[in-house]
Amino acid sequence: MPLDRRDFLKFAGLGALAAGAGARATPQAGAAAAIPLAGRADHTLRIARSLVELAPDHIVSTTTYNGGVPGPLLRLREGQRVTVDVHNDTDVPEQLHWHGQSVPADVDGAAEEGTPYIPPHGMRRLGFVPGPAGFRFYHTHVRAGSDLTRGQYSGQVGPVYIEPRHEPGAYDREVFLTLKEFDPFFSQGGDMAMDFLRPDAVDPALKARGERTMQASLARGDRRGYEVGYQAFAINGRMLGHGEPIRVKVGERVLFHVLNGSATEIRSLALPGHVFTVLALDGNPVPRPAEVPVLWLGTAERISAVVEMRRPGVWVLGDLADDDRAHGMGIVVEYAGQRGAPRWEAPPPFGWDYRRFAQPGAKAAPPDEVIAMTFAKQNAADGGFNRWTINGQAFDMRAGTPHFRLAHGRRYRLRMHNASDDIHPIHLHRHTFEIASLAGQPTAGVRKDVAMLGGYQTMEVDFTADQPGLSLFHCHMQLHMDFGFMALFDCA
């Protein structure tokens, strides 16, 4: 991964601190003094290349945390300070991002915000106060570009559960599921399925603009920009039929915590004959728990949902896409005393709508300020890759200039217009936002850190600028963020 001079100095200077042992220290934001390396940390993560057995006849080489995919589940307590030692046993600098947490910028894990790199064959001790409560996760946050071994194409993903003071619902036990793809490859063209999103109305002006731009590119003889596909799929690091089943009993209430750990894919999940009662989205309790037959998750989204086990048998809990499920995207659910081949039955058609979980009839409070953003695609404009722009500008890592200035404590509304036909899972670091409208239809109460913005649609989200310093805003699809779809907010 190429580094500019500023980035090189950032991780090289850190290497002088972290490469040694004993009493050496690493500086941390929000602390009066550096954290001493003497003594044991609460948790240790090691970044290294590993062989991962997805199935007996399918072994992949990828970068992992602690030798496996996903990395270890970290259970933390809200408000109780924690230390984590992160060792980088690879030959390249790394970042570890604490997705969904409100932590200082130099702990958050994004070089764009100023977080120091974890140097090759070095380490960093991170200290922070976990929060907010709920289902979060950690993952790498480096640019992959055209290197399909780097960034979120690797196996660097792991769940975090920050114990809430009050559980959102009654259940008998928890099951954590991390959905992930392997063996990525480049292709050109291809359409993204969008018919599952509700509301499904598009903005005619946005559609006309996007189609006009694409037609002009194709008329010049440009080929469609590169996309990424995958040859293997897994849940908790095992392909369907090759891992231990989820063993259940009749009448059990199982709380599933589902994480889409993909670099670029939107995922679905269904369990034939059962329904999910959604309790939390991205770790945040929903105002109105609701039953759904299918879960839909954009990249980096999480869903916590209870399933009451009332249909004995051996079932496939899997993706709706037959091809992806056949290549591994599923896991067996086996009732006690039941045997036989696992069964799959397609659920009835179902539209995914965040408003289903919202506060009925409510509208979001008026913001102090509205920030308008338009997202656009320049087909194959960057070496065959699509270039992505926000208000006409692609992100420049070398410049590092904040695009939007925020005043601490003010409530902002991002009015986001998507002038492309792609779904964009939008993520704002170090903050939680409230969805205020979807495709022009108001809503309130659903709090998230990632939300899918449909093709040629507008979405509004509100957040309070309560985290000082730089916060990164981006589409969570690795292919989009690497080629321009990022911006920096600076809160003072």
Side-chain angles (χ1 to χ4, degrees):
M1 179 188 68
L3 298 173
D4 60 36
R5 179 177 180 274
R6 180 168 60 92
D7 295 328
F8 175 81
L9 293 174
K10 195 180 299 177
F11 82 78
L14 177 63
L17 288 172
R24 293 186 180 271
T26 302
Q28 298 291 304
I35 298 175
L37 294 186
R40 296 184 61 181
D42 299 303
H43 300 276
T44 299
L45 297 173
R46 302 201 77 100
I47 304 169
R49 294 292 294 182
S50 306
L51 294 178
V52 177
E53 185 182 287
L54 306 179
D57 60 349
H58 200 131
I59 297 173
V60 297
S61 176
T62 187
T63 306
T64 66
Y65 296 120
N66 293 12
V69 179
L73 168 64
L74 302 183
R75 296 195 81 110
L76 311 177
R77 292 190 179 276
E78 186 179 23
Q80 183 174 310
R81 189 171 179 82
V82 66
T83 56
V84 182
D85 282 351
V86 186
H87 297 261
N88 180 9
D89 297 333
T90 74
D91 296 328
V92 292
E94 269 293 349
Q95 289 280 3
L96 188 146
H97 171 45
W98 299 103
H99 185 116
Q101 294 200 52
S102 301
V103 294
D106 82 339
V107 175
D108 186 48
E112 296 83 0
E113 297 172 348
T115 310
Y117 282 92
I118 306 161
H121 304 287
M123 65 88 67
R124 238 193 129 198
R125 172 163 289 184
L126 306 176
F128 58 94
V129 177
F135 188 22
R136 315 292 162 185
F137 76 115
Y138 57 95
H139 63 85
T140 182
H141 208 293
V142 296
R143 185 180 188 276
S146 60
D147 186 348
L148 293 179
T149 69
R150 292 282 280 153
Q152 294 167 72
Y153 302 118
S154 75
Q156 294 177 77
V157 60
V160 173
Y161 193 75
I162 303 174
E163 305 286 353
R165 293 181 174 88
H166 303 287
E167 289 292 346
Y171 58 90
D172 297 306
R173 64 191 180 96
E174 296 173 296
V175 173
F176 287 82
L177 302 177
T178 298
L179 285 51
K180 187 72 177 163
E181 300 85 17
F182 297 88
D183 296 333
F185 62 92
F186 285 121
S187 62
Q188 286 183 294
D191 295 322
M192 180 183 296
M194 292 191 296
D195 57 357
F196 67 92
L197 272 183
R198 301 291 184 275
D200 56 2
V202 301
D203 183 319
L206 291 173
K207 184 175 182 180
R209 170 179 170 170
E211 291 184 344
R212 184 169 58 248
T213 301
M214 175 60 76
Q215 291 304 317
S217 174
L218 298 178
R220 291 193 300 267
D222 299 332
R223 298 185 64 182
R224 292 183 180 271
Y226 289 114
E227 303 290 349
V228 175
Y230 303 87
Q231 301 176 76
F233 305 79
I235 294 181
N236 288 353
R238 301 289 285 182
M239 299 173 72
L240 175 60
H242 296 286
E244 285 295 311
I246 301 170
R247 295 184 172 89
V248 302
K249 299 176 181 178
V250 173
E252 267 192 321
R253 288 173 56 85
V254 180
L255 175 58
F256 288 95
H257 297 291
V258 185
L259 160 65
N260 181 0
S262 177
T264 59
E265 294 281 293
I266 293 170
R267 296 258 63 99
S268 58
L269 202 63
L271 179 59
H274 299 75
V275 295
F276 301 90
T277 301
V278 174
L279 303 180
L281 298 175
D282 294 348
N284 307 302
V286 297
R288 180 173 56 171
E291 291 186 352
V292 297
V294 180
L295 304 178
W296 282 95
L297 305 95
T299 55
E301 285 192 292
R302 289 92 63 213
I303 298 176
S304 298
V306 165
V307 177
E308 191 165 350
M309 297 300 169
R310 292 292 185 187
R311 195 177 178 195
V314 182
W315 302 100
V316 172
L317 172 62
D319 198 285
L320 298 189
D322 293 340
D323 190 60
D324 292 1
R325 198 175 60 256
H327 287 84
M329 188 53 78
I331 189 169
V332 174
V333 174
E334 179 183 283
Y335 277 77
Q338 301 292 309
R339 296 292 182 268
R343 293 169 55 194
W344 168 259
E345 297 173 0
F350 174 74
W352 183 255
D353 191 337
Y354 293 125
R355 298 172 301 167
R356 183 182 297 269
F357 316 106
Q359 187 175 339
K363 291 186 178 181
D368 297 313
E369 185 177 336
V370 174
I371 298 174
M373 312 174 84
T374 298
F375 311 138
K377 174 169 65 178
Q378 298 173 353
N379 179 58
D382 193 341
F385 292 90
N386 298 323
R387 180 184 294 125
W388 294 92
T389 63
I390 299 177
N391 293 349
Q393 182 178 1
F395 185 82
D396 184 353
M397 179 70 181
R398 293 167 297 181
T401 304
H403 300 77
F404 303 97
R405 304 283 181 177
L406 309 178
H408 190 271
R410 284 175 66 83
R411 182 175 174 85
Y412 291 87
R413 174 165 295 171
L414 304 182
R415 184 168 292 150
M416 301 177 292
H417 307 279
N418 182 6
S420 77
D421 59 353
D422 292 59
I423 293 177
H424 298 298
I426 299 298
H427 175 45
L428 176 60
H429 284 226
R430 308 200 301 132
H431 293 80
T432 299
F433 54 73
E434 177 185 12
I435 300 178
S437 75
L438 292 163
Q441 300 187 30
T443 187
V446 173
R447 299 169 60 251
K448 302 187 91 277
D449 54 59
V450 179
M452 288 184 281
L453 169 59
Y456 303 131
Q457 288 192 334
T458 294
M459 176 169 61
E460 295 179 321
V461 301
D462 294 357
F463 71 98
T464 299
D466 55 7
Q467 299 299 312
L470 296 175
S471 292
L472 186 64
F473 169 92
H474 61 92
C475 175
H476 213 282
M477 290 194 176
Q478 183 89 48
L479 195 61
H480 296 181
M481 61 185 287
D482 283 354
F483 292 92
F485 203 142
M486 297 198 293
L488 278 171
F489 293 86
D490 190 6
C491 176

